[in-house]
Amino acid sequence: MTKEDLSNSTIFELGNKVEENFIGDAYLNMIYMDKEPIDAPIGNVTFAPGSRNNWHSHQIGQVLLVTGGEGWYQEEGKAAQLLKKGDVVNIPANVKHWHGATMDSWFVHLAISPGQTEWLEPVDDAWYSKL
Amino acid sequence: MTKEDLSNSTIFELGNKVEENFIGDAYLNMIYMDKEPIDAPIGNVTFAPGSRNNWHSHQIGQVLLVTGGEGWYQEEGKAAQLLKKGDVVNIPANVKHWHGATMDSWFVHLAISPGQTEWLEPVDDAWYSKL
């Protein structure tokens, strides 16, 4: 797939390339950063095929709303879940996990993220290639 | 436009027809209703052309993320704002307002709604037709 293939799923602007804590090409556009009425920034995250974030955990948790493409969500010690447009993921506090695109699809989600994130080691190619 | 025209903007399922506090055909699908990590239900709201909700206010406020079509957002005493895909609206606490589709377009938004809503009078046809 090419960027053009995202035209139906790219509701929000791509934003800027993410430089840290990700492997591959991913883009972040913070679409909500106020403190009220909810104190939880909202980012639109776009992953190119094969890109993913490092293992990490959230001190409060995170909600993902999948708006396009296909991707993976995996909690440590569990099988990876395939995500598609319309899926919603509730990530509990302090659960080590990662998310990202599949090898051959772009993947776009909104992330609602109260609290801080602790970044950990990358999801290396050997791990990712087994999915 | 027909329902089929929404195929590019209907990320989430339509859900059920809203029976109260709206004029025209509108649909609500609650896609997130947990209490943690954010205590704010998220609804996907789809308005058929000409449909809109009644004047209302939120005790804490609301965030709208527009995912498709074209619609209106109007606070009491202010001009109506035209909304399009990718727009984000921060609705402060206790501000009387309404939102809905334009006369000739479907309109789809996510609504993140902490706290309670106070429903008021309809946006009547005479008011709406002046937009």
Side-chain angles (χ1 to χ4, degrees), chain B residues 18-127:
Chain B
V18 182
E19 300 292 350
E20 292 187 333
N21 301 314
F22 281 62
I23 287 178
D25 291 338
Y27 302 85
L28 175 64
N29 176 13
M30 296 307 302
I31 63 170
Y32 172 86
M33 296 190 72
D34 298 334
K35 297 294 183 187
E36 296 180 334
I38 61 166
D39 187 11
I42 304 174
N44 188 73
V45 189
T46 304
F47 300 84
S51 73
R52 65 270 189 185
N53 52 30
N54 292 357
W55 289 97
H56 62 285
S57 64
H58 304 283
Q59 287 184 356
I60 295 178
Q62 187 177 60
V63 177
L64 304 181
L65 309 178
V66 179
T67 59
E70 294 192 6
W72 297 109
Y73 168 71
Q74 184 171 35
E75 297 181 358
E76 189 177 42
K78 298 186 180 179
Q81 301 174 42
L82 183 63
L83 298 179
K84 298 184 179 185
K85 187 171 75 169
D87 286 340
V88 175
V89 182
N90 182 327
I91 305 174
N94 303 312
V95 168
K96 183 176 172 179
H97 68 280
W98 67 274
H99 27 122
T102 62
M103 190 67 84
D104 56 6
S105 176
W106 286 77
F107 178 55
V108 190
H109 67 54
L110 294 167
I112 307 174
S113 311
Q116 297 299 308
T117 299
E118 183 186 14
W119 288 103
L120 303 165
E121 72 278 11
V123 177
D124 63 29
D125 289 342
W127 182 279

Side-chain angles (χ1 to χ4, degrees), chain A residues 5 8 10 15-16 24 26 30-31 42 51 78 84 91-92 94-96 101 106 110 112 118 130:
Chain A
D5 293 316
N8 288 348
T10 303
N16 298 316
M30 296 308 302
I31 64 170
I42 304 175
S51 73
K78 297 186 180 178
K84 297 184 180 186
I91 304 174
N94 303 314
V95 169
K96 183 177 172 179
W106 286 78
L110 294 168
I112 308 175
E118 182 185 14
K130 290 178 188 168

Side-chain angles (χ1 to χ4, degrees), chain A residues 8 11 34 36-37 60 67 90, chain B residues 8 11 34 36-37 60 67 90:
Chain A
N8 288 348
I11 306 297
D34 297 335
E36 295 180 335
I60 296 178
T67 59
N90 182 328
Chain B
N8 288 348
I11 305 296
D34 298 334
E36 296 180 334
I60 295 178
T67 59
N90 182 327

Side-chain angles (χ1 to χ4, degrees), chain A residues 105-124:
Chain A
S105 175
W106 286 78
F107 179 54
V108 190
H109 66 55
L110 294 168
I112 308 175
S113 311
Q116 297 299 309
T117 299
E118 182 185 14
W119 289 102
L120 304 165
E121 71 277 13
V123 177
D124 63 29

Side-chain angles (χ1 to χ4, degrees), chain A residues 1-15 25-28 44-51 66-71 84-85 101-102 104-109, chain B residues 7-9 11 67 85:
Chain A
M1 295 176 80
T2 66
K3 255 187 209 182
E4 285 65 39
D5 293 316
L6 272 180
S7 60
N8 288 348
S9 57
T10 303
I11 306 297
F12 302 96
E13 298 289 329
L14 270 185
D25 290 338
Y27 302 85
L28 174 64
N44 187 74
V45 189
T46 304
F47 300 83
S51 73
V66 179
T67 59
E70 295 192 4
K84 297 184 180 186
K85 186 171 76 168
T102 63
D104 56 5
S105 175
W106 286 78
F107 179 54
V108 190
H109 66 55
Chain B
S7 60
N8 288 348
S9 58
I11 305 296
T67 59
K85 187 171 75 169

